[in-house]
Amino acid sequence: MAFKPLHDRVLVKRVESDEKTKGGLIIPDSAKEKPAEGEVVSVGEGARKDSGELIAPSVKAGDRILFGKWSGTEVTVDGKEMLIMKESDILGIIA
């Protein structure tokens, strides 16, 4: 199933975090926080101004991004856990 977000929504796949700390300690699954980093899978066409003019999105598919801890709605697409969020929930693009 192909999924295309509407308007200013973005479909994001979370990037898994490391299983060890820098000191070599293994972090159990129960102590891990969900990562706030992800990869953009697909993007809607953008928001519209009151005049009807289209505002192009700032991100594109393949961008690595940072987003807020409580951003987005968790969904399952093709058996994979993903997030759908507004473009305004994205904090920045990782270069």
Side-chain angles (χ1 to χ4, degrees):
M1 162 177 80
F3 182 83
K4 173 92 171 139
L6 297 176
H7 310 293
D8 63 340
R9 302 282 196 287
V10 179
L11 183 65
V12 177
K13 176 178 69 175
R14 285 188 196 266
V15 175
E16 294 301 319
S17 59
D18 292 336
E19 304 234 345
K20 290 184 179 181
T21 64
K22 290 181 182 178
L25 297 174
I26 297 174
I27 303 169
D29 287 338
S30 60
K32 285 184 187 175
E33 287 189 21
K34 290 186 178 181
E37 183 178 333
E39 181 180 340
V40 176
V41 176
S42 62
V43 181
E45 72 274 1
R48 294 209 177 260
K49 294 181 181 179
D50 290 337
S51 63
E53 183 182 343
L54 188 66
I55 302 170
S58 301
V59 296
K60 62 186 180 309
D63 284 348
R64 288 187 62 119
I65 59 166
L66 290 177
F67 50 87
K69 189 173 186 175
W70 307 109
S71 298
T73 302
E74 293 183 353
V75 295
T76 303
V77 177
D78 291 335
K80 297 176 186 166
E81 294 284 324
M82 304 267 193
L83 287 170
I84 297 175
M85 64 181 68
K86 288 187 154 230
E87 186 182 20
S88 60
D89 290 340
I90 296 173
L91 303 175
I93 300 171
I94 300 171

